[in-house]
Amino acid sequence: MKSWLLASTLLCSSVSAWAKDTLVILSPHRKSIQEEYVPLFTEYYKKKFNTDVDVQWLDQGGTSDDVRFLRAKFANKSKSSGVDIFWGGGTATFLELQRDGFLDSYQLPAELKTQVPEKAAGIPLYDKTHTWYASAMSSFGVFFNKKIMKMDGLPAPKTWQDLGSPAYNDNISLTDPRRSGSANTMNAIVLQTMGWNRGWELLTTIAGNARSFTHSSTDPIKAVVSGDVGLAMAIDFYALAKIGDLGPDNLGFILPEGQAVLDPDPIAILKGAPNRKVAERFVEFVLSSEGQKLLLLPKGAPQGPKSSSLGRMAVNVKAYEETEGKRISPDNPFTQTGFIMLDLERATKMQRVFNDLVGASLVDPHEDLKKAWKKIAKGPVVDPILRLAFGKPLVSEEDFMKLVDKWDDEVVRNQTINAWVSASREKYKSLQ
């Protein structure tokens, strides 16, 4: 009898251990998102579906790296990448993934769909084909260390243009847009709001003020918090999370006047997802008021994050209603106006060539660029003729757009990039 009970117990334990659902997520999101969402989802999943779920979180280093990883998985017309969810990286990234046929359509349950409107501040929160949904919304601005700025006698910036001031020389940290979707979006905002020539001039002068280009979009945030630099171009939630943790007396964040863009940060189920039902349940959880409160509330608040403030704008109107007066930021994109819309179709079309052009003209020759800027920006006022020569783009907007359709040709791409790098070094050395 005892032997039978023991065998039965072992069998039940084996079945229980085996009866576990799985979810594979590919995401460039920072560690704090993973640490807050995964434990809460596994707890929610066990309670609602009476089953354990094993969440496997993959990240190759940044949005662009994750997209390359996914492309490799879908190579040779594979029907599945072995990954269920792609989460985070900005709308332009998801338009690209959709264009390439990597996303699968999914309709939200009717009740949840009433809580996630079609638009916020005129910005679409999901694609018409329902291949992606905004899981949060992002804005972009300047993050700064108030104590460092005061110590150095520097004024707080108000616009993107301010970052091109010689006063900020060697006091800015930037991210290589070839490794970061948010860096690419911020550069695209500058070009869209200022035009091709003036935009490139500003991006070049900001690069001149940059101490370095990093590989991760979190590194400039860390540099500002530690006081290594005074400022960084930043996505709002990186900045607001740190302000929520360390206080507004130490750190600040501004949305550039007249240049504040609202960009959805989507989540999508991938084509051939091996754990499709679990993926659907995860999307529903992330978009639910319970999941969205993690974005809005400070750490330690009831129903808020436990370890780190996430400081994001949510997409669920019910979550805003239930957190009124308790949020890190009072901002509410469903009631505010004044945001401008980024031309996402154009930004997506330009993205690969644009990132390579920034890399070849600003990042790779950065040492020569900085030497030229140091020579030019000796005082508070820069000679406009020298500034124009320094910031002149390597290619006209018209010629750039012609390259977009040729960029899949690796020979053309590599030859063009090499030519850009050589031309950039030659230009900067001539100005030293």
Side-chain angles (χ1 to χ4, degrees):
M1 183 68 174
K2 289 182 180 179
S3 298
W4 181 86
L5 285 174
L6 178 60
S8 178
T9 301
L10 289 173
L11 178 61
C12 288
S13 297
S14 175
V15 170
S16 176
W18 173 79
K20 179 185 288 188
D21 288 343
T22 300
L23 180 68
V24 183
I25 300 171
L26 179 60
S27 174
H29 278 319
R30 63 198 192 280
K31 195 75 172 176
S32 55
I33 296 276
Q34 177 185 352
E35 291 172 344
E36 297 295 342
Y37 271 90
V38 172
L40 192 61
F41 175 66
T42 54
E43 181 183 321
Y44 154 86
Y45 199 90
K46 177 70 172 178
K47 187 183 299 183
K48 187 172 179 65
F49 303 108
N50 197 32
T51 306
D52 291 323
V53 61
D54 175 30
V55 179
Q56 299 171 18
W57 188 284
L58 309 177
D59 182 14
Q60 303 303 304
T63 304
S64 300
D65 299 302
D66 286 342
V67 170
R68 278 192 288 270
F69 173 82
L70 194 63
R71 287 188 186 284
K73 290 293 184 179
F74 274 119
N76 301 319
K77 298 183 179 179
S78 174
K79 293 182 179 179
S80 174
S81 63
V83 179
D84 301 302
I85 294 280
F86 196 102
W87 186 19
T91 315
T93 298
F94 282 74
L95 291 178
E96 180 183 347
L97 294 175
Q98 180 197 50
R99 180 199 67 199
D100 293 343
F102 295 161
L103 307 183
D104 229 349
S105 180
Y106 168 63
Q107 291 273 2
L108 294 179
E111 183 182 356
L112 183 54
K113 201 165 184 179
T114 63
Q115 299 173 22
V116 181
E118 184 180 351
K119 293 182 179 180
I123 312 298
L125 295 185
Y126 53 85
D127 178 70
K128 293 178 181 178
T129 60
H130 300 94
T131 51
W132 59 260
Y133 291 88
S135 64
M137 284 175 282
S138 305
S139 57
F140 303 86
V142 184
F143 181 48
F144 54 97
N145 187 312
K146 291 183 176 180
K147 292 188 174 181
I148 293 297
M149 299 284 280
K150 184 177 180 180
M151 189 184 306
D152 292 346
L154 298 174
K158 295 181 179 180
T159 66
W160 293 125
Q161 290 92 315
D162 289 344
L163 296 184
S165 167
Y168 297 130
N169 195 11
D170 211 34
N171 221 342
I172 298 175
S173 181
L174 301 175
T175 306
D176 185 340
R178 294 171 296 189
R179 307 294 294 272
S180 165
S182 57
N184 166 262
T185 299
M186 287 184 281
N187 288 339
I189 292 169
V190 169
L191 277 194
Q192 178 173 314
T193 56
M194 297 189 65
W196 184 262
N197 291 326
R198 288 182 61 236
W200 267 108
E201 182 181 308
L202 178 58
L203 291 177
T204 309
T205 55
I206 294 175
N209 284 334
R211 184 168 298 180
S212 64
F213 280 91
T214 71
H215 283 180
S216 168
S217 53
T218 60
D219 288 339
I221 302 299
K222 295 173 185 175
V224 170
V225 170
S226 67
D228 287 342
V229 296
L231 314 93
M233 296 172 75
I235 195 166
D236 61 347
F237 60 84
Y238 282 143
L240 294 174
K242 292 301 180 184
I243 292 171
D245 290 344
L246 302 175
D249 292 336
N250 299 309
L251 302 167
F253 177 75
I254 62 101
L255 293 176
E257 296 174 358
Q259 297 169 302
V261 166
L262 199 60
D263 184 36
D265 196 14
I267 186 169
I269 298 173
L270 292 168
K271 182 185 73 173
N275 306 287
R276 169 77 190 211
K277 178 54 69 176
V278 186
E280 292 176 2
R281 291 169 176 173
F282 184 76
V283 171
E284 291 169 16
F285 171 75
V286 168
L287 299 185
S288 70
S289 60
E290 181 181 0
Q292 293 278 292
K293 287 176 187 175
L294 290 177
L295 304 174
L296 298 171
L297 294 168
K299 70 175 181 180
Q303 297 184 294
K306 291 182 171 58
S307 302
S308 305
S309 299
L310 302 182
R312 304 210 65 177
M313 285 186 278
V315 299
N316 186 304
V317 292
K318 185 179 177 182
Y320 279 100
E321 293 167 2
E322 295 177 348
T323 58
E324 198 63 54
K326 305 172 186 176
R327 302 191 292 270
I328 295 174
S329 170
D331 293 342
N332 183 340
F334 294 108
T335 59
Q336 287 177 245
T337 58
F339 290 101
I340 63 174
M341 186 182 296
L342 183 65
D343 187 340
L344 292 172
E345 292 290 345
R346 181 176 172 80
T348 302
K349 186 176 182 181
M350 290 172 55
Q351 185 168 350
R352 287 183 65 217
V353 193
F354 182 38
N355 286 346
D356 283 336
L357 180 56
V358 173
S361 59
L362 305 184
V363 183
D364 295 341
H366 191 232
E367 186 177 339
D368 290 322
L369 184 155
K370 280 178 65 67
K371 287 178 182 177
W373 180 240
K374 186 176 182 180
K375 185 78 176 290
I376 293 169
K378 290 181 177 179
V381 179
V382 179
D383 184 316
I385 296 177
L386 289 177
R387 181 191 282 267
L388 189 64
F390 177 70
K392 185 178 180 180
L394 293 175
V395 60
S396 70
E397 185 174 12
E398 182 181 356
D399 289 341
F400 173 88
M401 295 308 296
K402 290 177 182 177
L403 286 170
V404 170
D405 296 327
K406 303 176 182 177
W407 219 239
D408 286 334
D409 186 327
E410 286 299 315
V411 174
V412 171
R413 178 174 178 264
N414 291 330
Q415 287 178 345
T416 305
I417 289 174
N418 290 336
W420 283 342
V421 172
S422 298
S424 295
R425 293 192 193 283
E426 185 177 331
K427 178 179 76 169
Y428 299 135
K429 286 178 179 178
S430 72
L431 293 169
Q432 292 175 17

